[in-house]
């Protein structure tokens, strides 16, 4: 039986689940301000004459509120992940 190209090579390296999740949380924390800035800039692409100013202000307020809630949840998750890492090691 013919051996595949990976035969004789070492097995793939997998990260532990906790460190993988912690790294993804850090990636999300880095991406969150970019996503919030994109959502804040989105009304600039809306048609200027057809969109009411009140609708744009409501959109911006809701986006701001959701950004605050998301960053608070992310900070809590990061704090919990760091605390779990400190107790494991």
């Amino acid at each position: 039986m013919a051996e595949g190209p990976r035969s004789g090579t070492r097995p793939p390296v997998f990260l532990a689940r906790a460190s993988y999740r912690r790294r993804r949380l850090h990636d999300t924390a880095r991406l969150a301000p970019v996503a919030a800035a994109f959502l804040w800039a989105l009304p600039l692409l809306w048609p200027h004459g057809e969109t009411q100013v009140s609708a744009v202000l409501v959109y911006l307020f809701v986006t701001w509120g959701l950004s605050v809630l998301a960053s608070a949840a992310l900070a809590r998750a990061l704090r919990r992940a760091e605390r779990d890492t400190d107790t494991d090691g």
Side-chain angles (χ1 to χ4, degrees), residues 32-86:
V34 176
F38 173 75
L39 289 174
W40 268 67
L42 198 59
L44 296 174
L45 299 175
W46 294 351
H48 292 288
E50 301 171 14
T51 308
Q52 295 181 356
V53 175
S54 60
V56 174
L57 291 176
V58 167
Y59 170 81
L60 290 176
F61 180 74
V62 169
T63 304
W64 172 78
L66 291 175
S67 297
V68 169
L69 291 175
S71 61
L74 187 57
R76 188 175 191 187
L78 283 167
R79 205 174 320 122
R80 185 180 310 129
E82 290 298 323
R83 186 177 58 231
D84 291 345
T85 301
D86 291 343

Side-chain angles (χ1 to χ4, degrees), residues 24-43:
R24 296 300 72 85
L25 276 172
H26 283 279
D27 291 344
T28 304
R30 289 182 191 111
L31 185 64
V34 176
F38 173 75
L39 289 174
W40 268 67
L42 198 59

